[in-house]
Amino acid sequence: MESVTIGKSVSELHELLLHKDISSTELTKAYIDRIKSVDPALQAYLTVLEDEALAQAAEVDEKVSQGQALKPLEGIPMALKDNMCTEGIRTSCASKMLENFYPPYNATVTERLRAAGTILLGKLNMDEFAMGSSTENSFFTKTRNPWNLECVPGGSSGGSAVAVAGDEAAFTLGSDTGGSIRQPAAFCGVVGMKPTYGAVSRLGLIAFASSLDQIGPFTKTVRDNALVMNAIAGHDPLDSTSVPIEAPDYTKFLVNDIKGLKIGIPREYFGAGIDPEVAKGIQAGIQTLIDLGAEVAECTLPHTEYAIPAYYLIATAEASSNLARYDGVRYGYRADADDVLGMFKKTRAEGFGQEVKRRIMLGTYALSSGYYDAYYLKAQKVRTLIKQDFDKAFEKFDVLLSPTAPTAAFKFGEKSADPLAMYLSDITTVPINLAGIPAISIPAGLVNGLPIGMQLMGKAFGEGSLYRVAYTFEQNTNYHTLKPNLSREVLTGGSR
């Protein structure tokens, strides 16, 4: 059964369920078997919910047997990044600090996917507290790129990207603070959408940087991505940053036609640090869009060079504040000590990993008396300038286009010893979070056998335009059909 169903898109699986060619139980078993087969090598999952998933699938099959209509995602197995709260199911943020945290409530996205009838297979690995670009910062394990087990899958949502690329889930959710959906999507050759800030509820997403974090879907195809967005987007009165507007039906934008659409190419996104082979691949993609009738011209986002320093001041400052709650008193890890102050110190020293500590210290410094105006406030002013750059560009263009990441996936250990080099790998993604606009990464070919991604950026709540361009590109190329080789020889040959 696995070989028949695994690897199909959500849309294809829905048709199989609809016509009773397969049951949700059979489909769920096929994915669980696949997880057991490939995850010992890939390490995408932190928690697998076999019994719970099969029980949910049985409920869907009961509905089908009674002749009830199936919703688009009903009976479809999926998984969540381990920073989204799941009631009674461990939600660790890949940190020792929350190793034994079982939330008493569900995140809004968890509730909405449950209401849509999806089957939760488990929780996925990530960089600790979503801080990282390679999933090397997880307390538990390093997730491996299915295209090359010696390479990182990207981060921080590495597990979410690998689960889709490795056929361990039909779709997944990740979170994106500075590129954490789009960059792993590019590294693993899948579709990843970072929605407009406020389009998808953050309630129950364990916070890293509250003004930047956003939840979005990983899928095999653009249509699947739109289907998942239909389920999770929309106003949430319990989230004060959720925008009170009605979400559209994103599948209505899936039109194979971009004639006359204006696409801008920011010159700053093709500068120093971009691998020439990646740039070449993206240029080929641009030519495809021109051939399909798009009007393409160069544009400028002049404050791009300040995005990384501004981002790493704002994000670390917000992280310093958000992570202050982990003190051993309320919940989470608690170290043994002789007094309360000693317990605070030991808990945070032992509970947080190296990268998390680095960012807390940077953020605390930026917010400290005498430095707030010089650093945090200045970064917020630069953020406004970056947003104004995008506003100006969108006066002329419908969509902007760039590489998703400067390089294809890099080897384990290649950048982990140099935090600055790791931070610079987000140069093409962080400005989007600072501006709060949507962006999607779609497969755009291979460089040295590894996938690269094309990033499309839109104006606030302009996801529809992104889906239109992405869908047209996908329909006229075959990059989304390329698959990693996960034969038994490859899986057993990769070093652990």
Side-chain angles (χ1 to χ4, degrees), residues 126-141:
M126 55 185 282
D127 282 300
E128 183 182 6
F129 282 100
M131 297 183 193
S133 305
S134 64
T135 317
E136 290 174 283
N137 295 330
S138 169
F139 170 68
F140 299 103
T141 187

Side-chain angles (χ1 to χ4, degrees), residues 310-324:
Y311 171 84
Y312 277 99
L313 282 167
I314 293 166
T316 57
E318 293 183 8
S320 163
S321 174
N322 279 325
L323 272 62

Side-chain angles (χ1 to χ4, degrees), residues 390-404:
F390 280 107
D391 291 343
K392 196 171 178 184
F394 287 126
E395 288 172 9
K396 292 182 181 176
F397 300 100
D398 300 302
V399 167
L400 304 181
L401 185 156
S402 77
T404 305

Side-chain angles (χ1 to χ4, degrees), residues 401-413:
L401 185 156
S402 77
T404 305
T407 66
F410 45 87
K411 295 278 179 76
F412 282 100

Side-chain angles (χ1 to χ4, degrees), residues 283-358:
Q283 291 294 350
I286 292 169
Q287 188 57 52
T288 299
L289 294 172
I290 293 170
D291 295 342
L292 291 166
E295 297 175 16
V296 176
E298 191 177 72
C299 66
T300 182
L301 298 169
H303 294 95
T304 299
E305 65 178 299
Y306 305 113
I308 291 284
Y311 171 84
Y312 277 99
L313 282 167
I314 293 166
T316 57
E318 293 183 8
S320 163
S321 174
N322 279 325
L323 272 62
R325 71 192 71 176
Y326 303 111
D327 54 11
V329 176
R330 298 167 182 83
Y331 60 96
Y333 177 73
R334 178 186 292 184
D336 292 326
D338 296 330
D339 54 44
V340 174
L341 188 59
M343 186 267 287
F344 286 164
K345 289 179 177 178
K346 277 189 74 178
T347 294
R348 290 171 70 81
E350 295 173 10
F352 290 134
Q354 208 64 32
E355 182 61 27
V356 174
K357 289 175 187 172
R358 181 183 292 116

Side-chain angles (χ1 to χ4, degrees), residues 56-396:
Q56 289 171 9
E59 289 175 20
V60 173
D61 290 337
E62 179 63 25
K63 280 186 68 173
V64 173
S65 70
Q66 293 172 3
Q68 296 182 40
L70 275 182
K71 290 175 255 188
L73 298 180
E74 198 151 19
I76 304 290
M78 59 84 190
L80 301 174
K81 185 175 179 179
D82 206 24
N83 60 350
M84 297 171 203
C85 285
T86 42
E87 184 180 353
I89 298 166
R90 188 178 74 158
T91 302
S92 71
C93 266
S95 176
K96 182 177 181 178
M97 187 63 81
L98 293 177
E99 185 177 6
N100 296 305
F101 174 56
Y102 291 77
Y105 69 101
N106 280 322
T108 295
V109 291
T110 308
E111 287 288 350
R112 289 184 177 177
L113 288 176
R114 179 166 288 181
T118 62
I119 311 299
L120 180 60
L121 291 169
K123 306 296 290 293
L124 299 159
N125 197 24
M126 55 185 282
D127 282 300
E128 183 182 6
F129 282 100
M131 297 183 193
S133 305
S134 64
T135 317
E136 290 174 283
N137 295 330
S138 169
F139 170 68
F140 299 103
T141 187
K142 291 176 183 174
T143 300
R144 298 185 175 276
N145 192 315
W147 290 84
N148 182 336
L149 301 186
E150 301 303 314
C151 290
V152 303
S156 62
S157 309
S160 300
V162 169
V164 174
D167 296 329
E168 297 184 85
F171 74 88
T172 62
L173 293 190
S175 64
D176 191 311
T177 308
S180 290
I181 289 173
R182 291 157 289 152
Q183 184 245 30
F187 280 10
C188 294
V190 297
V191 180
M193 165 67 88
K194 179 256 169 219
T196 305
Y197 185 80
V200 176
S201 172
R202 291 188 303 109
L203 180 83
L205 174 70
I206 296 175
F208 162 15
S210 305
S211 75
L212 300 163
D213 297 340
Q214 190 56 220
I215 295 170
F218 287 87
T219 56
K220 291 187 181 306
T221 69
V222 176
R223 178 173 292 281
D224 286 0
N225 211 275
L227 286 169
V228 179
M229 273 293 286
N230 279 351
I232 64 173
H235 180 235
D236 178 9
L238 300 176
D239 174 8
S240 63
T241 61
S242 173
V243 179
I245 61 172
E246 194 174 335
D249 176 357
Y250 293 103
T251 60
K252 291 218 164 77
F253 298 102
L254 304 177
V255 181
N256 187 357
D257 177 22
I258 53 168
K259 288 183 182 68
L261 202 84
K262 294 179 172 63
I263 299 177
I265 312 297
R267 70 171 70 103
E268 292 81 3
Y269 287 45
F270 287 85
I274 305 295
D275 181 334
E277 289 301 308
V278 171
K280 188 176 165 187
I282 300 304
Q283 291 294 350
I286 292 169
Q287 188 57 52
T288 299
L289 294 172
I290 293 170
D291 295 342
L292 291 166
E295 297 175 16
V296 176
E298 191 177 72
C299 66
T300 182
L301 298 169
H303 294 95
T304 299
E305 65 178 299
Y306 305 113
I308 291 284
Y311 171 84
Y312 277 99
L313 282 167
I314 293 166
T316 57
E318 293 183 8
S320 163
S321 174
N322 279 325
L323 272 62
R325 71 192 71 176
Y326 303 111
D327 54 11
V329 176
R330 298 167 182 83
Y331 60 96
Y333 177 73
R334 178 186 292 184
D336 292 326
D338 296 330
D339 54 44
V340 174
L341 188 59
M343 186 267 287
F344 286 164
K345 289 179 177 178
K346 277 189 74 178
T347 294
R348 290 171 70 81
E350 295 173 10
F352 290 134
Q354 208 64 32
E355 182 61 27
V356 174
K357 289 175 187 172
R358 181 183 292 116
R359 297 197 192 195
I360 289 172
M361 288 191 291
L362 277 168
T364 305
Y365 181 80
L367 291 173
S368 58
S369 178
Y371 294 105
Y372 178 90
D373 288 355
Y375 294 112
Y376 184 72
L377 192 62
K378 180 68 66 72
Q380 290 287 20
K381 289 176 179 177
V382 170
R383 180 183 196 167
T384 301
L385 293 174
I386 289 168
K387 184 185 180 302
Q388 288 171 352
D389 285 349
F390 280 107
D391 291 343
K392 196 171 178 184
F394 287 126
E395 288 172 9
K396 292 182 181 176

